[in-house]
Amino acid sequence: MPGVIENWPAWREFGVAAEGNTQGPDFAQAKAEIIAEYGEEALCRSWVKVCKDLETLTEKVSASGDASIPVFQMKSILEDGFPIEQVAQLKSAGCCIVRGVIPEAEAKALFQDMKNLVAQNPGKIPGWPVESPAMLRLYNSPTQIAVRTHPNQILLQRTLNALFHDETNETSPEPLSYTDGARIRPPGQEFLGLGPHIDAGSLCRWADPQYRKVYDNIFSGNPELHDAFDLGVRKNADQYMYKYNAHSAVFRSFQGWTALSPTSPSAGTLMLYPSVSSVIAYVLLRPFFSPPADEESVMDASKWTFNPESSWFPGTMKDQSQRLSPSSHPHLRLRDCLTYIPHMNPGDTVWWHTDMCHAVDPVHNGQEDASVVYVAACPTTPVNKAHVKAQLQAALVGKAPPDSPDVDVDERKLKGYKGFVDVTPEGRAVLGFGLV
């Protein structure tokens, strides 16, 4: 089946035993508050419903492979937006591929420009691994600015943001650009550092009262009513409750990247679990239940025991994104359902919901560099406006974005740096020039 992972990588497991950084007083307090607010009966009712739903969902996803990921053409979106008949699938899967966002020849030229800039500045651009940086902590190169402010990117992000709704009218689908890094991953480079995970915070999903409201139906026994696209509730959630580099205050409706070179399964690409609501519901409910002693009964949700005493949240660490593994989250059947995205050409883009489980390809067995620019879809919200304003102010004086305080590189001094002189008025608005 296309997209299926044939050999499960040696990613870390999180369900073997409780560790010090996945439990403690803050974990216990969050758990106690949720039990006091919603009650054992509601949590148990949701647990049974979600696990039952996962039985059908996992069979479907494992059988479909990458066909579970909707694919669109930018040309069609420019003309008609997302096809009405496919919007429901997109929102259920929580992810999509949009091809041809940047013309292929243009994307290839942008890739070469970025490679040239890196080559002209040896030892000056930090990244991982230190001896041969591939994950570049480079933020405002001409290539990245061109990708972020491309008119197709802006229109596409506006269209993605519009999938969310906010009855308070305090937000807008008009995109703001979140400054992120880039990647030039050479063939043969392994990377096990980003196995299955969910961004936008970790413990804060349980600990922050406003963030909890996003998942109110899940905790109250009605997971089938959960709306993963309610921005009115989510816009004030505190994703940055625990202030570590892995987290950001910015709300990204869809995370994403734009390919500058070809990528494919086992060649430095991305893996997605193409379902949003059921997966996040299971992750949120998991800390409240303990597995049966008999391993053969683990997949029988009715054999799990409600456990109000333990403060262990498997895979949850304050300083990292939410982690998942087969042992900690068995009903997700990660080995069968985590799916490679299809082959990507230069200029193609991939997008995944802020609550989506995803992973970085641990191997790169291709023949050429796998290069992407990380570009997310961010709606206009009060929190996002404040961040983008600070982000731009930092860039204008040669400082790294607020989410990268440990990067001490003045990009204005790099050979090949051009700044924002060539950006269109529409692009300048997305970058936040109207906010400073």
Side-chain angles (χ1 to χ4, degrees):
M1 181 59 60
V4 172
I5 302 172
E6 295 182 0
N7 298 304
W8 188 254
W11 285 317
R12 182 179 168 188
E13 290 288 336
F14 296 98
V16 178
E19 299 179 39
N21 61 348
T22 60
Q23 59 186 338
D26 289 343
F27 295 79
Q29 180 179 341
K31 188 172 185 177
E33 289 176 357
I34 291 172
I35 293 173
E37 182 175 357
Y38 296 98
E40 176 181 347
E41 191 276 332
L43 291 165
C44 289
R45 189 165 70 246
S46 273
W47 174 256
V48 172
K49 286 182 178 180
V50 169
C51 290
K52 184 65 176 176
D53 179 60
L54 284 172
E55 291 178 9
T56 303
L57 173 68
T58 54
E59 285 298 320
K60 178 181 178 182
V61 172
S62 62
S64 301
D66 64 14
S68 297
I69 303 171
V71 179
F72 303 96
Q73 300 292 331
M74 188 65 209
K75 182 176 182 295
S76 298
I77 293 173
L78 284 169
E79 296 172 352
D80 303 307
F82 289 121
I84 296 298
E85 65 274 12
Q86 288 185 273
V87 168
Q89 181 196 5
L90 192 166
K91 295 178 77 171
S92 175
C95 57
C96 66
I97 304 294
V98 181
R99 299 199 183 280
V101 176
I102 296 177
E104 185 168 346
E106 184 178 347
K108 288 181 176 179
L110 288 170
F111 173 46
Q112 191 59 52
D113 288 345
M114 187 164 68
K115 285 195 72 173
N116 291 343
L117 185 145
V118 173
Q120 291 169 7
N121 296 277
K124 296 181 180 180
I125 300 171
W128 181 94
V130 175
E131 63 275 10
S132 178
M135 308 292 189
L136 303 176
R137 304 192 76 176
L138 176 70
Y139 300 105
N140 289 302
S141 69
T143 290
Q144 289 163 290
I145 292 173
V147 171
R148 289 181 200 133
T149 60
H150 194 285
N152 286 354
Q153 280 277 9
I154 295 172
L155 184 146
L156 176 55
Q157 290 168 32
R158 184 183 298 117
T159 306
L160 288 164
N161 289 337
L163 295 172
F164 284 73
H165 61 92
D166 177 11
E167 279 65 39
T168 71
N169 295 316
E170 295 174 354
T171 64
S172 162
E174 286 302 312
L176 291 172
S177 181
Y178 175 68
T179 298
D180 209 340
R183 186 187 77 202
I184 303 177
R185 185 177 177 183
Q189 187 178 74
E190 296 186 355
F191 183 68
L192 284 168
L194 283 174
H197 67 285
I198 300 172
D199 292 313
S202 52
L203 182 60
C204 57
R205 281 188 168 89
W206 294 270
D208 174 46
Q210 184 62 34
Y211 215 158
R212 283 204 296 264
K213 289 182 181 178
V214 173
Y215 310 109
D216 185 75
N217 282 313
I218 293 170
F219 292 129
S220 62
N222 303 296
E224 69 279 6
L225 300 179
H226 172 61
D227 183 356
F229 293 85
D230 186 349
L231 183 56
V233 178
R234 195 184 286 263
K235 66 179 182 291
N236 292 320
D238 190 357
Q239 300 176 168
Y240 202 47
M241 184 176 185
Y242 303 103
K243 294 173 174 53
Y244 294 95
N245 286 348
H247 309 312
S248 173
V250 169
F251 172 69
R252 294 173 284 182
S253 62
F254 286 84
Q255 293 175 254
W257 52 247
T258 300
L260 298 183
S261 66
T263 65
S264 57
S266 298
T269 189
L270 181 75
M271 303 159 175
L272 298 173
Y273 194 121
S275 176
V276 177
S277 294
S278 294
V279 174
I280 195 63
Y282 179 78
V283 170
L284 290 165
L285 294 167
R286 172 64 182 85
F288 297 91
F289 297 88
S290 295
D294 178 11
E295 290 188 9
E296 293 185 0
S297 300
V298 164
M299 297 304 290
D300 184 347
S302 67
K303 299 291 180 65
W304 287 58
T305 306
F306 183 75
N307 185 350
E309 305 300 329
S310 172
S311 69
W312 182 29
F313 282 50
T316 305
M317 293 155 277
K318 293 179 185 177
D319 63 338
Q320 296 187 34
S321 299
Q322 175 65 44
R323 301 302 180 113
L324 300 85
S325 68
S327 61
S328 58
H329 299 85
H331 296 87
L332 294 180
R333 292 178 55 195
L334 285 164
R335 294 175 184 269
D336 301 319
C337 297
L338 193 65
T339 303
Y340 281 112
I341 65 172
H343 176 85
M344 302 284 280
N345 294 310
D348 292 346
T349 61
V350 57
W351 306 88
W352 62 97
H353 187 281
T354 186
D355 281 342
M356 171 151 287
C357 171
H358 59 289
V360 174
D361 197 341
V363 297
H364 180 5
N365 296 326
Q367 300 301 311
E368 54 188 311
D369 292 332
S371 182
V372 306
V373 170
Y374 297 100
V375 179
C378 302
T380 297
T381 71
V383 172
N384 285 359
K385 286 170 67 175
H387 182 95
V388 168
K389 177 181 178 180
Q391 173 184 275
L392 179 59
Q393 289 173 327
L396 292 174
V397 295
K399 294 183 178 179
D403 283 343
S404 302
D406 57 334
V407 175
D408 186 20
V409 176
D410 187 342
E411 293 190 13
R412 298 174 303 172
K413 297 179 179 179
L414 296 177
K415 295 179 181 178
Y417 176 84
K418 294 182 179 179
F420 304 96
V421 292
D422 296 329
V423 179
T424 64
E426 182 185 39
R428 291 173 69 87
V430 167
L431 294 174
F433 276 90
L435 303 174
V436 298

